[in-house]
DNA sequence: GTCTATAGGGAGATAGAC
DNA sequence: GTCTATCTCCCTATAGAC
């Protein structure tokens, strides 16, 4: 194999593993078994190497999609699906590379930052689950993870496009569009099969809700004991055979007073 | 204002501007008007400062959504829309900060890398426009940019979720889900108003198609002159009052033989 | 709390011999 | 083409005086 290709192969691996900035030319050279000085005989800079890698990846996907052959039985929608499948498969099989952006950003060394990201992400997902349930009712339950994915995918993509293309659109127009899109999907759920079935069951959902609340309360600085005791009592009641409804309600109202856990409480409430 | 808050404010601005890794503690200290040494009396490390900033941002959005008041006339869908609007507005108003991930990744100094990203992105969008048109027909035209956004948003989000939650799902199931989702949206377009109306017109689309092709051909190394001449002839024919259809067709077939511009040619073909 | 000075460690890129 | 040695620069974080 060509030394240039070999360098690129090792670069992809290292970039994927540690991110672009966190990978030094020295490491790439070491992995390939040449010196740093020799590296610069092949590529003028680390950045140019990266550009080559990027273009190669892109070209490979494009070529494969162009060359995908339709069989005679395929209608236009089958072809559509085939092309999507190629793009998704290819991206997934190089997913480390495409996730490099985040690797580069989150210093993988520190676990702290990763934990923070996870925590914030979980909190956002809970929020979205809650507002979807409140709006479309409990019948969407089996599709909840998928609908969250759709909602978040749409929001992120539109924000991205608006920022990058520097477009000005009215937020209300955008919100209406997204809502109508989700309406259309929800109305069509009968014909669909969920993709993100995370071993979904009411029991596990309730447990998850309690767990999140406990975590959040423990992470806070105020009223820890009081809130944990409340939560414990609530758990007892919920698990009892003859729960006292008024007590559960009262405890929920009480918990909701604390703004920093309000979303989590509302989420839990949906399943009780 | 508290020095700690002041440091955070300047940090946000600088991180947004240059990315996390590209911003040094020295710069943050300078902006705040203190020395680097003093910085470390307030935050143990640059990373901890960043964690504080992240959490603050998140908390602000969450609090605002929790506190959003519904008026009496609001039904559940109005509330849904209000909450989405808050989230989108807030994210957009801090968009520099949320785009930091990319700032951090793409070295803003070098224009080369930015250009490459743009070029690849454009090429991907063209591909998606093409396959959407091929599948759903020319009637979706006014919604094309929106449908591309939906398609790309869905694909990216699912790839992200699958990778991050380390889930295994069959690609064909996912592809079916995405396709059915888009079906539902397309069937519902009558009730919708496009958001991304990029001064859309057939004429400008054709011009855009030609421009992309020219660019791509000029960027390549082989058959430049031949292909440019073909393109020029095609342009002439298209702009003529009585175009010779067989010639246009022949030229398109000829151009499509060159794999590296095949997608762009097919895209252009849709509008001729 | 704030400063200056400095430790201590990479990084990207080049020079020049072989 | 490949090596070693080196230049130059910038970084995070700390030490110690005030």
């Amino acid at each position: 194999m060509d030394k240039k290709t070999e360098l690129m192969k090792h670069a992809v691996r290292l970039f994927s593993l540690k991110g672009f900035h966190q990978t030094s030319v020295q490491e790439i050279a070491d992995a390939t078994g040449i010196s740093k000085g020799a590296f610069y005989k092949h590529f003028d800079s680390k950045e140019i190497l990266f550009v080559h890698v990027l273009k190669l990846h892109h070209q490979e996907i494009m070529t494969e999609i162009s060359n995908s052959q339709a069989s005679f039985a395929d209608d236009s929608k089958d072809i559509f699906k085939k092309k999507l499948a190629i793009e998704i498969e290819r991206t997934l099989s190089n997913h480390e590379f495409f996730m490099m952006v985040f690797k580069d950003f989150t210093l993988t060394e520190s676990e702290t930052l990763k934990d923070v990201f996870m925590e914030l992400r979980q909190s956002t997902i809970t929020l979205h689950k809650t507002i979807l349930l409140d709006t479309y009712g409990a019948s969407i339950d089996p599709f909840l993870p998928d609908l969250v994915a759709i909602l978040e995918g749409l929001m992120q993509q539109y924000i991205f496009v608006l920022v990058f293309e520097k477009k000005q659109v009215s937020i209300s127009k955008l919100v209406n569009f997204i809502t109508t899109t989700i309406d259309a999907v929800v109305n069509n759920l009968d014909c669909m099969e969920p993709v993100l079935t995370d071993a979904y069951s009411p029991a596990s959902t309730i447990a998850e809700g309690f767990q999140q609340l406990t975590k959040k309360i423990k992470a806070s600085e105020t009223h820890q004991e009081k809130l944990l005791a409340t939560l414990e009592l609530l758990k007892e009641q919920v698990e009892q055979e003859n729960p006292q409804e008024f007590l559960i309600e009262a405890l929920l109202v009480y918990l909701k007073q604390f703004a920093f856990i309000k979303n989590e409480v509302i989420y839990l409430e949906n399943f009780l």
Side-chain angles (χ1 to χ4, degrees), chain A residues 33-52:
Chain A
I34 64 170
S35 72
K36 192 163 67 158
F39 171 93
Y40 284 94
K41 294 287 172 194
H42 295 281
F43 296 98
D44 285 343
S45 69
K46 188 170 90 162
E47 195 180 307
I48 293 205
L49 158 69
F50 178 60
V51 169
H52 277 247

Side-chain angles (χ1 to χ4, degrees), chain A residues 116-126 152 156:
Chain A
V116 171
F117 272 117
M118 288 302 236
E119 183 197 324
L120 299 188
R121 170 141 184 74
Q122 196 54 58
S123 159
T124 307
I125 291 178
T126 303
E152 292 185 352
Q156 276 177 33

Side-chain angles (χ1 to χ4, degrees), chain A residues 79-106:
Chain A
I79 299 171
F80 181 73
K81 289 179 184 175
K82 271 190 183 168
K83 295 193 170 177
L84 286 196
I86 292 172
E87 193 174 342
I88 293 175
E89 263 167 17
R90 271 296 199 154
T91 311
L92 273 176
S93 76
N94 295 319
H95 70 259
E96 287 99 353
F97 184 73
F98 288 99
M99 293 293 155
M100 200 178 81
V101 189
F102 298 96
K103 289 257 176 54
D104 207 53
F105 181 65
T106 66

